[in-house]
Amino acid sequence: MAPLRVLCIHGYRQNATSFREKTGALRKLLKKHVELVYVSAPLSVQQANTEGVADKQNDPAPESGGDEDPRGWWFSDIKARSFNAQQQCEESLGLDESVTAVREAVKDQGPFDGILGFSQGAAFVAMLCSIQEQKLEPTFDFRFAIIVAGFRSACTQHQKFYNSPIQVPSLHVFGLEDRVIPDKMSRELLPSFQDPQVLIHPGGHFVPAASAHRQTYQDFLKRFQ
């Protein structure tokens, strides 16, 4: 059986290379079943501040913290060209370029069976599923989504993505000790999906891949093999 091909969407201040490193345990866990392919966001982020460094000490795979060439999928603060998941904003910057980057990745490296996102990348994956459902991007044909530490964007401009429940089958993964995206924020995204599957782990802000999680991932992926 050919492995499922999954496009991987990294977190804010990460890139394809750093996210690949941080998901090594997941690749090992699912290696017979899944091929993970990574893409970098088009927006360059100014180097992490001390807050990001502090975050790095608390988590095995933080979203923010000194990655070389940090990248993002959109900015919630247009002037500062920065992002905060809890920042209310009318408009964002860069989302269209990011959709284009995913379209190019699908054309150049696809086809893909599914899509996986982490943190800002997970919130972006929910938007991409909505775009696919509204038939706004003919190249998008993801059969499933894995959303790790996802959330609903607080940007007014993005509320159109949550108008009707997304039919794409989804697995939502979040940690009870996540301080970057508290589990409450991940739970608020669930009603945006029809019949969301859930994997809750006791840890923080990272992609969990312990042997205890293998069965949940495999049961979810089995439907698409």
Side-chain angles (χ1 to χ4, degrees):
M1 215 176 342
L4 295 169
R5 301 190 76 243
V6 178
L7 182 63
C8 297
I9 306 291
H10 61 76
Y12 186 65
R13 288 206 187 114
Q14 295 180 339
N15 58 43
T17 306
S18 67
F19 191 45
R20 187 173 195 284
E21 286 166 9
K22 285 170 180 160
T23 49
L26 185 71
R27 277 204 314 282
K28 221 174 266 180
L29 194 73
L30 303 174
K31 65 177 175 220
K32 292 192 185 79
H33 305 275
V34 170
E35 178 195 350
L36 301 180
V37 179
Y38 298 79
V39 61
S40 283
L43 309 176
S44 272
V45 177
Q46 288 166 352
Q47 282 298 344
N49 56 19
T50 51
E51 185 188 8
V53 176
D55 183 44
K56 188 158 201 169
Q57 292 162 359
N58 299 337
D59 270 315
E63 182 176 33
S64 31
D67 287 325
E68 296 287 318
D69 189 25
R71 299 268 165 167
W73 299 101
W74 78 89
F75 295 128
S76 54
D77 188 324
I78 293 174
K79 280 202 183 101
R81 290 180 68 89
S82 67
F83 169 78
N84 182 317
Q86 304 191 28
Q87 180 178 22
Q88 304 281 334
C89 62
E90 286 298 313
E91 294 187 357
S92 69
L93 181 68
L95 195 69
D96 291 347
E97 291 95 309
S98 291
V99 172
T100 300
V102 173
R103 185 194 309 135
E104 296 298 320
V106 169
K107 277 186 188 155
D108 299 345
Q109 297 172 271
F112 294 104
D113 297 289
I115 187 165
L116 175 152
F118 173 62
S119 205
Q120 190 194 44
F124 184 42
V125 164
M127 296 178 195
L128 293 170
C129 290
S130 173
I131 287 168
Q132 171 175 313
E133 210 128 285
Q134 295 174 54
K135 301 195 165 34
L136 301 174
E137 274 295 337
T139 55
F140 292 180
D141 190 20
F142 302 112
R143 292 161 57 216
F144 62 87
I146 299 176
I147 291 176
V148 185
F151 56 90
R152 266 182 79 124
S153 170
C155 181
T156 307
Q157 187 187 31
H158 300 162
Q159 298 318 299
K160 61 187 178 193
F161 298 121
Y162 311 113
N163 287 342
S164 54
I166 294 160
Q167 305 295 317
V168 177
S170 58
L171 175 64
H172 299 252
V173 183
F174 47 87
L176 298 176
E177 291 299 314
D178 195 327
R179 303 273 183 265
V180 180
I181 304 297
D183 65 302
K184 177 177 179 285
M185 290 178 69
S186 292
R187 291 175 201 274
E188 284 165 359
L189 181 61
L190 296 178
S192 300
F193 284 82
Q194 190 72 41
D195 192 27
Q197 307 294 295
V198 175
L199 168 57
I200 301 170
H201 65 96
H205 195 60
F206 57 88
V207 181
S211 54
H213 309 130
R214 183 188 282 120
Q215 201 58 51
T216 308
Y217 284 123
Q218 284 182 356
D219 288 348
F220 176 73
L221 293 167
K222 212 184 290 174
R223 299 154 55 187
F224 310 103
Q225 265 158 336

